[in-house]
Amino acid sequence: MQSTRDSTLSIEEVSITGHAQLIRLRSYHPASKGALLPIVIYFHGGGFVRGSLDMADAAASAIARETPAWVVSVGYSLSPAFPFPAALEDGYRATQWVVANARAQGADAKRIGVAGHDAGGNLATCLAAVARDRGEFVFAAQALLAPLLDPSMTRMADEKEIVDPDLGASECAQCYRAYLPNASQWLHPYAAPIESRRLAGLPPALIASAQHDLLHVEAEKYASELIAAGVPTEVMRHGNASHHELGTHPAALADVVSFFKKRLPAKAQRR
């Protein structure tokens, strides 16, 4: 395990066995000041085909520092070399590792949130569904930043109505084809959460959309579907923000921190 430190966080990296290969996790640990820390699992963006732990650094650091929480960022396997469900199962194994190591980190395995941007938002909400169905651990909250939710791409905004979109429909389609090479996967509830008819029992959600993002329509539609299923859900559309910007957007990250503070409240550590 490699370790670095900034003025407020202890940052470590560790390799674990993933679904198809070794994957790296980056741990962000704030000073606990005697409190039992909540946990947040974080997934970077990149359309399932690119991205890295470094891409997630700003968001993961902010969440860890400001909540405060033990944040573990997942360096999941990328498509097309490792298509669905490799990245999702990597996230599951990462969470198993986190739960197993929570006590040593002064963290509470019963207060876990999950978050992600772009493809990471898809993985975050799908991992919450997998956890609900398998019953090994439970997520208490999910925060999705400009998530990719609809492989059918039938709920996108009209490109003519979006000012300077930084994610086009053709790029989005290429990413989905790489991640979901079999047509039957495009409706799988663990890959296309907006198509799922089993949303009840998912954790309370915060969904952040961006005004200048083609995907803001599907993000907000997913929020309405969660609400209809009885899932407590907040949705925020950020003006003058684009798809890629939302992963580091100060106001969006402040909303995520506020949401996790509310859903993963501070808890005194037992002595």
Side-chain angles (χ1 to χ4, degrees):
M1 181 177 280
Q2 297 178 331
S3 178
T4 60
R5 181 179 290 273
D6 70 11
S7 59
T8 57
L9 298 173
S10 174
I11 303 174
E12 299 179 321
E13 288 194 6
V14 60
S15 292
I16 68 168
T17 301
H19 177 71
Q21 62 170 345
L22 287 177
I23 59 170
R24 294 197 68 77
L25 311 178
R26 185 175 292 175
S27 162
Y28 298 78
H29 199 291
S32 63
K33 299 179 181 179
L36 199 59
L37 292 168
I39 301 167
V40 175
I41 309 296
Y42 191 86
F43 294 96
H44 65 75
F48 304 104
V49 299
R50 64 183 73 89
S52 67
L53 293 173
D54 289 342
M55 178 183 286
D57 189 69
S61 296
I63 295 168
R65 184 182 302 111
E66 302 300 329
T67 304
W70 179 33
V71 175
V72 177
S73 180
V74 184
Y76 55 87
S77 300
L78 300 176
S79 299
F82 300 98
F84 175 82
L88 183 59
E89 293 294 347
D90 285 345
Y92 194 86
R93 294 193 181 204
T95 309
Q96 288 178 314
W97 181 89
V98 164
V99 170
N101 288 274
R103 178 174 295 183
Q105 294 289 335
D108 186 356
K110 294 183 179 179
R111 289 185 298 140
I112 310 178
V114 62
H117 170 239
D118 179 79
N122 176 294
L123 295 173
T125 195
C126 291
L127 179 60
V130 172
R132 175 202 61 193
D133 296 344
R134 295 182 183 175
E136 184 178 355
F137 44 78
V138 175
F139 287 105
Q142 57 175 323
L144 317 180
L145 300 166
L148 299 180
L149 301 167
D150 180 18
S152 75
M153 296 174 52
T154 58
R155 301 170 179 88
M156 301 180 79
D158 187 335
E159 287 192 80
K160 297 178 183 178
E161 298 177 355
I162 301 298
V163 177
D164 297 325
D166 57 4
L167 176 67
S170 60
E171 180 186 354
C172 194
Q174 290 174 356
C175 291
Y176 277 127
R177 284 196 294 269
Y179 181 55
L180 305 169
N182 300 320
S184 62
Q185 297 169 332
W186 288 53
L187 294 176
H188 196 294
Y190 294 163
I194 203 167
E195 302 285 0
S196 176
R197 302 277 65 86
R198 294 184 59 249
L199 299 178
L202 290 180
L206 170 69
I207 298 180
S209 65
Q211 181 178 352
H212 303 310
D213 182 11
L214 292 172
L215 305 186
H216 78 79
V217 174
E218 68 183 64
E220 293 159 15
K221 173 64 174 174
Y222 187 56
S224 68
E225 295 287 344
L226 289 172
I227 291 169
V231 177
T233 303
E234 304 171 34
V235 60
M236 301 284 190
R237 185 192 295 181
H238 293 271
N240 298 317
S242 66
H243 179 85
H244 293 308
E245 290 172 347
L246 207 61
T248 55
H249 192 276
L253 293 180
D255 286 343
V256 171
V257 167
S258 178
F259 173 73
F260 281 137
K261 281 184 174 181
K262 178 171 61 177
R263 293 295 177 179
L264 307 172
K267 185 177 180 181
Q269 189 166 4
R270 292 180 179 179
R271 299 188 180 277

